[in-house]
Structures are given as structure tokens and as C-alpha cells.
């Protein structure tokens, strides 16, 4: 198994509060991995650390063996929970911005994704619905030739039709030698696409397993396990 991501005993503190506490995990290539947890569990903190947008208090993170920092940024494509676009842009401007900023941006793939997403380059970003905006953000992120794609709540706050379109796009345009790490609390809607799941609770990793193993061993869906683990949150 090619190791895409290695997180070694990572702790992140803000003052005296632990956002993450001694988290260790490895992800191999060719996986769609769910990062699951209730609000405030540490999901976004972990994603920002992997993307190099924040520094751990202690511990190490590497992508394809490259320590997270300037050199690893070309390996990671991050979709935060806030838009990558500006209100003055049209969809075509957003793609141009991404192409100018990232040498690995594949404009041909982006245009194919736009067609799949039912978006036009002439559409104004300011008038896109929440679901359409999320489709555009996903197009911008997945059209980079990265090894690790990090998606923070890509279906949060969108209607069921938009969720289905976004999940179908992930399956359609996912590069098989790369890995997607995707955070969500909408487990029922999305568990069908996961190869592995990671549960984080109060800054600590409480479970990391392949989905099929969990279903066989526990006889429950991922959503049922999620509800058990986070029942007191």
C-alpha cells in the first residue's frame, strides 16, 4: 500500500485547550476516507494541519513522505468550509484564478466537471444557490492534480438533490491513485462512498477502520455506529 498521509502523535493546543490530543493515523492511496465527528471534535483543526494552514503544537505530519510545509502544498488540494471564490467572479473567472495559482490545475478536467455539474462559465458566482456554489468549489479543488484531497463538509447545508450530485461527482472524477479525506456529520447521506472511516471525539481518535470490516464485525451501518459513539455529545 502506498502511504499518502502519515500523522504521528499530533497535538494541537489553543492556550490550555486541546483541539487535538495525540492523534496518529496513516492513509493509503486509492481511498475515500470519512473523517467523522460532532461539531468541535477536532475535524477542521486536523484538516488545516494536514493542509499546512496551521502548525501542530507537537507531533509530525507528512504527505508522500514530505513533511507538511511549503513543499507539501503542491501535493494537497484543500476545500475549506468557506468559499474559494469572490462575489465579483463568474464561474470562468474562478477557474482562471485557480489555474493561475496552481500549476497542476487541469482546465480540461474542470470544464468536464462543470458540464457534469450543470454549471456554465458565464454564471455569476453571486447568484449561485448554495448547492451550485458547493459544486463549483468541488470542481476547483478536484481539478488539481494532487495526491491528497481534503474536503471540509462539502455537503453541509445543501439540499438532498445537490448532495447526490456532489457525491456522484466525487465518484466520477476521483483519481484512483489519490486519496480523499472528507469530513461530515451527515453520515447517512454519504457513507455509501467511504472505503474507510475515522471517528474523532473531543480531539482524540477513537476509531479508524475499513467500512466493510466494521459492518461485518459490528453488524451495523456507519451511521448507527456514529450515533452510538457520539450519543453523549
Amino acid at each position: 500500500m502506498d502511504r499518502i498521509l502519515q500523522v504521528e502523535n499530533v497535538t494541537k493546543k489553543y492556550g490550555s485547550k486541546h483541539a487535538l490530543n495525540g492523534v496518529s493515523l496513516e492513509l493509503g492511496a486509492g481511498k475515500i476516507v470519512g473523517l467523522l465527528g460532532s461539531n468541535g471534535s477536532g475535524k477542521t483543526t486536523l484538516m488545516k494541519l494536514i493542509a499546512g494552514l496551521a502548525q501542530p503544537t507537537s507531533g509530525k505530519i507528512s504527505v508522500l513522505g514530505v513533511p507538511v510545509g511549503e513543499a507539501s502544498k503542491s501535493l494537497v488540494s484543500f476545500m475549506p468550509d468557506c468559499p474559494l471564490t469572490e462575489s465579483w467572479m463568474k464561474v470562468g473567472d474562478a477557474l482562471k484564478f485557480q489555474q493561475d495559482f496552481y500549476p497542476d490545475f487541469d482546465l480540461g478536467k474542470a470544464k468536464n466537471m462543470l458540464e457534469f455539474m450543470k454549471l456554465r462559465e458565464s454564471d455569476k458566482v453571486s447568484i449561485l444557490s448554495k448547492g451550485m456554489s458547493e459544486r463549483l468549489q468541488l470542481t476547483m479543488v478536484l481539478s488539481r492534480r494532487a495526491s491528497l484531497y481534503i474536503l471540509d463538509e462539502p455537503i453541509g447545508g445543501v439540499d438532498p438533490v445537490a448532495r447526490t450530485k456532489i457525491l456522484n461527482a466525487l465518484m466520477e472524477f476521483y483519481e484512483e491513485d489519490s486519496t480523499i479525506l472528507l469530513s461530515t456529520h451527515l453520515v447517512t447521506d454519504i457513507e455509501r462512498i467511504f472505503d474507510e472511516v475515522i471517528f474523532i471525539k473531543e480531539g482524540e481518535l477513537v476509531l479508524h477502520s475499513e467500512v466493510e470490516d466494521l459492518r461485518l464485525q459490528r453488524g451495523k451501518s456507519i451511521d448507527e455506529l456514529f450515533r452510538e459513539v457520539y450519543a453523549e455529545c
Side-chain angles (χ1 to χ4, degrees), residues 26-69:
E26 290 185 4
L27 299 183
K31 303 284 186 181
I32 298 179
V33 182
L35 180 62
L36 310 182
S38 56
N39 289 335
S41 60
K43 303 188 302 294
T44 295
T45 298
L46 179 59
M47 290 184 147
K48 286 181 176 178
L49 293 178
I50 295 168
L53 300 178
Q55 301 298 316
T57 305
S58 61
K60 296 187 294 184
I61 305 174
S62 59
V63 180
L64 286 178
V66 178
V68 164

Side-chain angles (χ1 to χ4, degrees), residues 177-217:
D177 57 349
S178 63
T179 286
I180 294 175
L181 180 63
L182 184 160
S183 77
T184 187
H185 59 277
L186 300 169
V187 184
T188 306
D189 297 311
I190 202 169
E191 68 169 88
R192 67 180 172 87
I193 74 168
F194 291 146
D195 299 301
E196 297 178 10
V197 288
I198 296 165
F199 285 12
I200 287 187
K201 186 177 182 180
E202 295 174 357
E204 298 189 355
L205 189 148
V206 295
L207 184 148
H208 180 193
S209 177
E210 291 196 9
V211 166
E212 280 310 306
D213 289 346
L214 278 178
R215 286 177 179 145
L216 288 171
Q217 291 166 9

Side-chain angles (χ1 to χ4, degrees), residues 48-165:
K48 286 181 176 178
L49 293 178
I50 295 168
L53 300 178
Q55 301 298 316
T57 305
S58 61
K60 296 187 294 184
I61 305 174
S62 59
V63 180
L64 286 178
V66 178
V68 164
E70 235 7 83
S72 69
K73 288 186 178 178
S74 63
L75 304 172
V76 178
S77 187
F78 180 44
M79 178 179 168
D81 59 358
C82 55
L84 297 165
T85 49
E86 300 288 343
S87 59
W88 57 264
M89 290 179 171
K90 293 181 179 177
V91 168
D93 296 324
L95 298 191
K96 178 91 168 48
F97 175 81
Q98 200 79 339
Q99 186 179 29
D100 289 346
F101 207 75
Y102 296 106
D104 61 5
F105 186 74
D106 185 336
L107 186 59
K109 181 179 181 182
K111 290 188 175 186
N112 287 337
M113 284 194 70
L114 286 187
E115 187 174 349
F116 183 88
M117 299 287 202
K118 301 288 191 275
L119 289 166
R120 296 171 299 186
E121 290 188 58
S122 59
D123 290 339
K124 292 182 177 180
V125 166
S126 59
I127 64 169
L128 295 179
S129 67
K130 174 74 172 170
M132 298 295 268
S133 179
E134 291 291 332
R135 294 183 203 182
L136 174 58
Q137 310 303 318
L138 190 65
T139 298
M140 293 170 69
V141 169
L142 284 189
S143 294
R144 286 187 55 203
R145 294 292 181 185
S147 297
L148 177 63
Y149 299 90
I150 305 176
L151 313 177
D152 193 0
E153 296 284 356
I155 60 170
V158 300
D159 63 68
V161 173
R163 284 177 204 164
T164 299
K165 196 70 178 174

